[in-house]
Structure formats: structure tokens, C-alpha cells
Amino acid sequence: MNITEEYIQTISPTSTAFNAGKKLSIPAKWLSYGKSERGLWGELKGSGKKPYKTQIDIVDFAYKCSCPSRQFPCKHGIALMLLYVGLEGKIEETEEPEWVKEWLDKRSIKKSQADETKEVTEEESVKKNNNKLRTEAKRFEEVKSGIEELELWLKDMVRIGFLELPHQRKKIAALSKRMIDAKATRLSAWVRSYAEFNFNNEQVWREQAMQTTARLFLLIKTFNNYDQLSPLWQQTIKTLVGWNQSTKELIDDPEAESVEDHWLVVGQETSEREGITTQKSWLLGLQTNRNALILSFKTNYSSFDHSLSTGMLFEGALKFFPSITPLRAVVSKQKLSLNELVCLPHFMENINEVYQQRAETLKKNPWELEQLVCLESVQLVLQKKENVVCDTFQNYITIEEECPEDVLLNWYALEGSSPSKIAGLFRNGKLLPLGLFHQHKYLKL
């Protein structure tokens, strides 16, 4: 199990729970604790007569506690993980107590049952396929109807002029809802973005409006020519419009692209909308130099998949969702956590390479809006108007305005004005620094 205090803080439901767990993470507070190949457990005296029994599945990462708390994980689970980190993982492996063994055995049985595939007769398979085709055809008609309305609005907006756009918030909200009703959920997000432009900066929002309209109109025209596209392009366009493929279907698909490597989690971002929090985890394959994006979602009724954290390095396999430029993926196999980088990724020396790579990506897929990049021998230059990253050839990239100040201060504190090896996210022509490579270690900024 490769966890850190920072990771535990990330998965803690509240800062209060984390701080309470930290106070309980002293070995003397525990009546007993132990570890096996698949579990970590401990007993802690609580307010009642019986001690609280806390246990963690360190293979599939889950936790359970006998306390009445509704937080997940509770402060006792947090304390047990912090205890493990504080002892630097040096807990002697022992035989699992019966209450731990029973819980872990039940989890193993459930997992094996979930992995078993039910035999389906030929008749059931044909019936299922016919139902799927009918459902797909019905959805295409619904999406097509919504797209016709969207195309008409775009043409009207271009004809009238973008200066009317700030006054169309109600129309934008209604059209965004119409896309959801038409089951074109990704198009709804595109439409909603028109209302989120910075209308206080006329030059910026006009440029944003032009770019968004061009990409959206091109997407509509491509969807209208769906039957003339290759199967891979068809899948790409469906995903861009709003079709989703389940994670389970992808993992079970023997034809899905699978890539084995040493995967480094270089950064994570979270955003919240309408009660759903989305977490983006950016991964880099150190040997294949493949980039990957893994999405996790949190609602009032479910939490994030906490198996990934920034700086984590593991040996395993990712399966990629089909796309003309495959990027989004899921972890299909996670073998071993590593403490040091076994090798370094490919770095770009010249910032112009970033723009060249971006141009090549846009030729293949004009809707790929973000790109993970690794740069070496670059310096952070702090300025009054805008902060930039410069290379040794005096080329530069502007840093995103939304980049947290702590990120830049951390970079400057670690490297000063020395040349650095960094990973960052390139989007909208600007860079968001994520972390530094330093002496076979990756440091989150």
C-alpha cells in the first residue's frame, strides 16, 4: 500500500475528521494493530465498553469501522492510515483476526462473483441486441432533433452578431436544458459555456465565442455526416455529443486498447456543477510516454474512487476508451506501487515543440481541448502582468491566470531560477504547472 499523509488528507471527508484522526494516530492510543498482505486493522478504545474495530482492504482499498459515524472514512480509519504512515509501513505481518478475515473473505467472494460472466443463450443474445439497436435508433432521432435546434440558434447568432450574446442568457439556459432532454449531454455543456464567458473583457469573450462556435458548428456538421464516417470516428463523435460507455463494458471488452506501463499520477483537478463533483486525474506512462485521463465522480450518495492520488506511481495496465485520439482511460490492472521513478519520461527542450504537438493533435481531433506536456530546462519568470515559463531558446508560454499562487511559490521555493523539469497541462494556449521531476522523484506543486 503506497499512501501518504497528503493522500489521506485528500480522501478525508472534512478537515475536522482529518485533524481528529491525526490526534488518534499515536501508537499508544491503540489497544492493538496489525497488517497482512491484504489488510490493515486496529482496535482503539472509544467512549463505550467495547473498543472500535477498524479495518482497511489494502488491495482494493476500502475501509470499515464499528463506530457509529456516518463519515466515510471515519476518524478511526483516518487514524489507522496515519499510524501506518507514521510507522513508515513497518508493521510486522501477522495472522488476521477472525473479524478481519471474515470481512476480507466476504469482499473477495463478492469480487469473484462480480467477475463471473453469466452464460447467455443465442436467443437471449439476439433479443438483447435487437433491443439495443431499437434503443440506439430512438436516441439518434432525439439527438438529431435537438441538434437541429442548436444549429438554427448558431446560425441566427452569427447572422445577428456576437454583440447580442451577453443578452441571451435565458435563451442559452433554455437551449442547454433542451440538449439534456435530447440526450446530448456534452452539447449541453458546450452551450452552457456561452453564458460563462468573461463579458467584462470584450476582446477575450469575443475570441472565446468565435472559437466555441467554430468547434460546435464543425461538430454538428460532422454528426450530420455520421453514416459516412469510419467506425472509430463514429464512436468519437458519439462521445463528443454525449454517449457514454460504461467502465465495466470497457474493461470486459477484449478488443479495447490496453497499455501496460509504470504510470505516474502527475496531477488532479476537481470541478463542481449541479451537485456532481468531477475529479480529473492525469497520468503519464513513463516507458510508453502515453498520456491518460481518468475521471471520477462524487455526489451526495457516492464518493470518489480514492485509488489514485497525485504523485502516486504504480505498475499496471490502463484500458482506453475508443477515440481517434485516445486519452480517457480506466485502470484495469494495478500490480505494484513504486517509490521511485524507474525512468524519466520524454521531455521537450523547446517550447515550440508544444505548439507543434498541439497543432498535430488538432489536425487529428479539433475538439481535444487539453494536453499533458513535459518540459525540461525551463524557468519560472514572475512578472507583474503575467507569469511565464521560458526555455533556453527564449521561447515562452504564459501561465494560466487561474493557476493558484501556492503552485508558483512552491516551484520558486524548490528550484528558484534554476532550470527545471516539469509536467503541465496545456490548454487555451496557456500552461498550468502540475509538478516537478527532481532526482528520480516527482514533486507535486
Side-chain angles (χ1 to χ4, degrees):
M1 181 170 63
N2 184 22
I3 58 174
T4 62
E5 185 171 322
E6 183 184 53
Y7 172 63
I8 300 167
Q9 195 166 10
T10 301
I11 67 173
S12 298
T14 63
S15 58
T16 303
F18 177 80
N19 292 332
K22 199 161 188 178
K23 291 177 182 178
L24 297 172
S25 63
I26 303 167
K29 298 234 178 222
W30 292 80
L31 300 175
S32 67
Y33 53 84
K35 179 187 172 225
S36 67
E37 286 186 355
R38 59 178 186 164
L40 183 66
W41 63 87
E43 291 181 286
L44 184 73
K45 180 150 183 64
S47 55
K49 292 182 179 179
K50 294 183 179 180
Y52 293 133
K53 295 181 175 181
T54 306
Q55 49 204 318
I56 298 172
D57 181 340
I58 61 177
V59 176
D60 294 317
F61 208 78
Y63 13 76
K64 181 183 178 183
C65 184
S66 62
C67 76
S69 174
R70 293 184 178 181
Q71 290 186 324
F72 189 76
C74 66
K75 64 181 181 181
H76 308 111
I78 294 168
L80 181 58
M81 287 184 279
L82 287 171
L83 173 68
Y84 175 85
V85 172
L87 294 173
E88 299 179 347
K90 295 174 183 176
I91 298 178
E92 187 178 348
E93 290 194 7
T94 59
E95 188 176 343
E96 297 166 353
E98 190 58 36
W99 54 278
V100 176
K101 185 177 183 301
E102 183 181 352
W103 179 64
L104 291 173
D105 285 346
K106 282 182 179 178
R107 285 185 54 80
S108 297
I109 291 170
K110 283 183 180 179
K111 185 180 179 183
S112 62
Q113 288 175 342
D115 291 340
E116 289 178 3
T117 55
K118 180 185 174 183
E119 288 189 17
V120 180
T121 65
E122 186 177 347
E123 184 180 351
E124 288 175 329
S125 179
V126 170
K127 184 178 179 181
K128 184 179 178 180
N129 189 51
N130 288 339
N131 288 338
K132 187 176 180 181
L133 290 173
R134 280 195 293 269
T135 302
E136 185 80 350
K138 183 181 178 182
R139 180 171 184 179
F140 255 95
E141 288 305 312
E142 291 176 321
V143 171
K144 189 176 180 181
S145 174
I147 281 181
E148 286 174 355
E149 290 186 37
L150 176 57
E151 185 176 3
L152 182 62
W153 178 73
L154 288 174
K155 288 180 177 178
D156 286 345
M157 185 173 61
V158 172
R159 178 174 53 81
I160 296 170
F162 286 124
L163 289 177
E164 288 297 313
L165 191 59
H167 310 294
Q168 294 209 17
R169 292 182 184 272
K170 288 185 178 179
K171 176 63 178 176
I172 291 170
L175 191 59
S176 176
K177 186 178 182 301
R178 173 70 181 97
M179 293 303 104
I180 293 175
D181 294 340
K183 296 184 174 61
T185 52
R186 294 286 295 276
L187 290 184
S188 173
W190 281 79
V191 172
R192 193 170 55 238
S193 69
Y194 280 99
E196 297 170 352
F197 293 155
N198 180 11
F199 290 113
N200 294 322
N201 189 324
E202 190 169 317
Q203 183 179 352
V204 170
W205 80 253
R206 283 190 184 185
E207 185 177 338
Q208 289 176 329
M210 286 288 289
Q211 291 177 349
T212 302
T213 302
R215 286 195 176 103
L216 194 49
F217 197 75
L218 180 60
L219 180 56
I220 290 171
K221 287 299 181 183
T222 308
F223 180 83
N224 291 339
N225 292 317
Y226 180 85
D227 292 338
Q228 300 174 33
L229 303 175
S230 68
L232 189 56
W233 258 117
Q234 287 180 340
Q235 183 62 53
T236 302
I237 295 303
K238 284 171 66 178
T239 301
L240 288 166
V241 169
W243 269 264
N244 291 319
Q245 181 181 358
S246 75
T247 298
K248 185 179 183 307
E249 284 180 355
L250 181 68
I251 291 176
D252 292 342
D253 184 358
E255 296 183 2
E257 182 187 16
S258 180
V259 180
E260 294 205 19
D261 204 338
H262 292 152
W263 295 98
L264 172 67
V265 184
V266 294
Q268 291 180 314
E269 286 187 303
T270 57
S271 59
E272 193 275 332
R273 180 177 292 280
E274 298 176 358
I276 299 176
T277 305
T278 303
Q279 183 185 70
K280 292 181 175 181
S281 297
W282 294 93
L283 276 66
L284 176 63
L286 297 181
Q287 295 169 323
T288 60
N289 209 46
R290 283 292 298 269
N291 297 338
L293 170 63
I294 294 179
L295 300 182
S296 181
F297 303 94
K298 179 173 130 182
T299 67
N300 293 332
Y301 309 101
S302 63
S303 60
F304 286 134
D305 172 10
H306 293 307
S307 59
L308 300 177
S309 62
T310 302
M312 179 180 179
L313 177 65
F314 66 93
E315 182 182 351
L318 302 188
K319 276 202 170 183
F320 286 80
F321 287 91
S323 170
I324 205 73
T325 50
L327 179 65
R328 192 184 164 201
V330 297
V331 179
S332 59
K333 188 174 14 176
Q334 192 169 333
K335 296 180 185 175
L336 182 67
S337 295
L338 306 170
N339 294 320
E340 283 198 351
L341 304 178
V342 291
C343 62
L344 292 175
H346 170 73
F347 291 97
M348 300 178 189
E349 293 184 29
N350 192 322
I351 284 176
N352 285 337
E353 291 181 53
V354 176
Y355 295 102
Q356 291 167 4
Q357 185 185 79
R358 183 71 184 138
E360 290 299 318
T361 301
L362 289 175
K363 282 181 185 178
K364 296 177 183 177
N365 184 348
W367 302 284
E368 194 71 77
L369 302 181
E370 300 171 308
Q371 202 154 335
L372 190 63
V373 296
C374 292
L375 296 164
E376 71 173 338
S377 299
V378 293
Q379 293 173 283
L380 172 63
V381 180
L382 302 176
Q383 303 179 132
K384 287 185 178 180
K385 288 187 177 181
E386 57 183 16
N387 300 308
V388 299
V389 176
C390 295
D391 64 18
T392 55
F393 304 95
Q394 298 184 341
N395 302 309
Y396 69 91
I397 299 179
T398 303
I399 293 176
E400 282 188 358
E401 292 87 350
E402 295 79 11
C403 178
E405 187 177 353
D406 288 351
V407 168
L408 303 181
L409 292 177
N410 287 342
W411 183 352
Y412 201 76
L414 289 166
E415 298 284 7
S417 58
S418 302
S420 308
K421 293 182 173 72
I422 70 161
L425 205 55
F426 185 65
R427 58 190 172 196
N428 299 320
K430 297 184 179 181
L431 186 74
L432 174 66
L434 298 174
L436 295 171
F437 292 88
H438 185 75
Q439 295 180 352
H440 290 279
K441 295 279 187 181
Y442 180 75
L443 308 175
K444 174 189 173 184
L445 291 175

